[in-house]
């Protein structure tokens, strides 16, 4: 008899910030609303620091279920694995 497969853990967004730490942000929502990352208190992911714009980037889920990270013309840019991006499909 085979053992049941263990479900894959939901992917998470991990932040690497020099001046603060933040728990990973789960990426397991299914609605089409983008999740804004920035300094604004209303952001889905609120980050402190002068190197973060008020509306820095957004995570958007496409109709195919895939996530795209979009830089919202932030002053300091957005990076994925150390590479600067404007738009990047992340999963």
């Amino acid at each position: 008899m085979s053992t049941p497969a263990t479900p894959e853990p939901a992917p998470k967004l991990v932040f690497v910030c020099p001046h603060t730490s933040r728990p990973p942000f789960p990426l397991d929502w299914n609605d089409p609303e983008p999740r804004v990352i920035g300094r604004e208190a209303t952001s889905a992911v609120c980050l402190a620091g002068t190197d973060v714009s008020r509306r820095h980037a957004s995570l958007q889920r496409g109709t195919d279920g895939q996530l795209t990270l979009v830089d919202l013309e932030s002053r300091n840019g957005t990076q994925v694995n150390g590479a600067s991006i404007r738009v990047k499909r992340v999963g």
Side-chain angles (χ1 to χ4, degrees):
M1 186 182 322
S2 64
T3 58
T6 304
E8 291 284 326
K12 295 177 176 56
L13 181 65
V14 178
F15 298 90
V16 180
C17 304
H19 306 295
T20 187
S21 65
R22 172 169 175 76
F25 180 73
L27 302 175
D28 56 356
W29 77 91
N30 292 317
D31 64 76
E33 288 298 313
R35 302 306 196 259
V36 173
I37 301 166
R39 282 193 338 252
E40 283 185 343
T42 57
S43 298
V45 179
C46 188
L47 299 173
T50 57
D51 53 343
V52 178
S53 297
R54 284 184 205 89
R55 293 177 47 85
H56 196 95
S58 73
L59 282 164
Q60 302 171 3
R61 187 168 302 282
T63 56
D64 60 358
Q66 294 292 306
L67 283 171
T68 301
L69 180 63
V70 179
D71 181 78
L72 299 176
E73 300 182 15
S74 63
R75 179 176 292 245
N76 293 313
T78 300
Q79 295 185 345
V80 174
N81 296 328
S84 294
I85 61 101
R86 283 289 184 201
V87 176
K88 172 78 174 168
R89 183 162 271 202
V90 292

